[in-house]
Amino acid sequence: MIPLSVLDLVTVREGGTVAEALAISARTAQVAEKAGYKRFWVAEHHGMDGIAGGATSVVLAHVGAATSTIRIGAGGIMLPNHTPYVIAEQFGTLAALFPGRVDLGLGRAAGADGRLANALRKDIVGASERFPQDVVELQARFAGQAVGGVSAPQADGAEVEMWILGSSLFGAQLAAMLGLPYAFASHFAPAMLDEAGRIYRERFQPGKGLDKPHFMAAINVFAADTDEEAHYLASSTDQSFVALRTGTPGRLPPPIRDYRAGLPGSARAMLEQVRSVSAVGTPARVRDEILAFRDRTQADELIVSGAMFDPDAQMRSLELAMGALEAAKV
């Protein structure tokens, strides 16, 4: 069966707190581990009231302490926001705490406007242009090299699985050139998915520890007992996407029945495009849609995303999706 992983945004729900979001993420990771998911990744976002994963390495330490076997990682660290040296220290430390379990997904997009770039004290544009060199520096530091004559003892020889993340063709080309695994953010930016996968495979050059391409694609998954209930539960994430695209992001709202039907045509079209890579419905329907997506992408792994206002329903969705795939033995 194709390996499945979980992408978690450490979602803060309306009426909830950051502390509650962190506790829910740890519980979700425990459920994912028990259900048989391979990885539990946390995404770095800043300045967003509804997403609490900005201090990504700290959140991963919390999740790692709550679990024992599932791989934990960044999906991803937006490297232009940081120096490679500090990320090497952080993820080398995580690898020492949780040996054989740590992934480091790296993205080039800063996810920051001018105000946030100022708060981070970073030249985001310049740092984005240096992304390939910074990735190579990280590789060197994990290999024990003292780049610029300065060593990072925590990173020296650390067992960290590095990935390149992307939603365009740039990441596909870089991952192929460096011989790294590649994950595509098709759960919110599906437009270039097929071309990115093709370019990555065609241009892949074997690297240290990876002799052939390894491609992961992201898909939104919302499983429930009925199709109607699954679409209802998914409407919280739908609302968040619309709020984000219209410049009014906030905390995850409660679900609304028939939410999409009540949207203006332009908003509905936008939502249907950005959320087109989704599996929503009963376990059987979700299974079929996940398998169709696997066949389309020929991905080596899939990573599932999708926040629900009711955290118990979200955890049950993970269990239902994995259970349906395991029962089908595919």
Side-chain angles (χ1 to χ4, degrees), residues 44-105:
E44 176 192 346
H45 293 275
H46 297 288
M48 299 183 71
D49 194 37
I51 300 178
T56 311
S57 59
V58 180
V59 176
L60 291 175
H62 170 63
V63 171
T67 54
S68 58
T69 58
I70 195 169
R71 295 190 67 90
I72 58 171
I77 287 291
M78 299 298 104
L79 197 50
N81 296 339
H82 310 276
T83 64
Y85 186 86
V86 170
I87 296 302
E89 285 187 321
Q90 292 177 357
F91 279 78
T93 301
L94 286 169
L97 291 169
F98 311 107
R101 295 177 57 197
V102 176
D103 301 330
L104 172 54

Side-chain angles (χ1 to χ4, degrees), residues 209-225:
L210 193 64
D211 58 3
K212 61 182 181 179
H214 192 90
F215 180 52
M216 177 191 284
I219 180 172
N220 299 290
V221 172
F222 300 90
D225 291 329

Side-chain angles (χ1 to χ4, degrees), residues 116-204:
L116 186 52
N118 183 61
L120 292 168
R121 302 295 193 270
K122 290 287 291 184
D123 171 11
I124 297 298
V125 174
S128 297
E129 292 173 350
R130 293 191 303 273
F131 179 70
Q133 295 93 321
D134 286 351
V135 173
V136 171
E137 178 180 332
L138 272 171
Q139 288 181 304
R141 292 201 177 281
F142 288 129
Q145 297 179 30
V147 181
V150 180
S151 63
Q154 301 93 330
D156 188 353
E159 188 180 349
V160 176
E161 186 174 294
M162 288 178 60
W163 288 68
I164 298 296
L165 312 184
S167 58
S168 68
L169 304 184
F170 178 88
Q173 296 174 68
L174 181 63
M177 181 179 69
L178 297 178
L180 291 172
Y182 178 56
F184 193 87
S186 37
H187 62 302
F188 73 89
M192 296 185 182
L193 166 64
D194 299 301
E195 188 175 2
R198 177 186 60 78
I199 287 175
Y200 171 63
R201 292 189 182 95
E202 288 179 354
R203 301 187 184 182
F204 182 83

